[in-house]
Amino acid sequence: MALPRVSTASTNTNTLVSAARFVITADRMAEISFSELSGITSEVEVSEYMSSNRLGVSLSKQFGRTKPATVVLKRGVDQDLALWTWHQEVLAGQPTARRSCSLMLLDMAGVIKQTYDLINAWPSKLDISGMKAGGSEASIATVTLTCEQIDIKQR
């Protein structure tokens, strides 16, 4: 007997979320806009548990250690030093560098389509792409925000 095919892709386009701009807001920090959300990662390691009984040895997969969640965002480099300053606070080991912030996905009209709350986030990595003198190519800043937890707010 053949099993019915189940589609995992959403066919209702009203439920799909797209964004024209991504904005981070937090206390003690100006709003920072991004042109690309490269990804949000939440991961739990897999642990193997081996047990033995009178019937033999059994191996099962269990929940393991939870890894810190990450968000990777990109933007063109400009004269706004907010990301650089925030990363410098982390490098200096300042406890106030951990900030709960919101990542908002906005459409073309500036309407918020979805919000992610990043609990105790901090920029663990800041990468600025190379550039050439006199070139017209924009340099791109890529920031990895590491946080303790991510909560989503439905709109």
Side-chain angles (χ1 to χ4, degrees), residues 37-69:
L37 170 64
S38 294
I40 297 175
T41 304
S42 177
E43 184 177 355
V44 177
E45 291 180 350
V46 177
S47 294
E48 292 184 348
Y49 178 74
M50 188 179 298
S51 62
S52 62
N53 56 31
R54 57 186 163 90
L55 300 174
V57 176
S58 67
L59 179 67
S60 65
K61 306 282 185 190
Q62 304 287 323
F63 301 134
R65 193 180 83 199
T66 302
K67 293 183 177 184

Side-chain angles (χ1 to χ4, degrees), residues 103-124:
L103 168 61
M104 297 176 291
L105 284 62
L106 287 77
D107 66 10
M108 292 293 284
V111 175
I112 300 170
K113 297 313 242 177
Q114 202 158 46
T115 301
Y116 295 89
D117 288 331
L118 312 179
I119 310 303
N120 289 328
W122 49 282
S124 57

Side-chain angles (χ1 to χ4, degrees), residues 117-149:
D117 288 331
L118 312 179
I119 310 303
N120 289 328
W122 49 282
S124 57
K125 182 177 180 181
L126 180 59
D127 178 50
I128 298 175
S129 68
M131 55 183 112
K132 295 179 183 177
S136 60
E137 292 181 25
S139 183
I140 302 296
T142 303
V143 63
T144 301
L145 299 175
T146 299
C147 55
E148 293 175 8
Q149 178 180 329

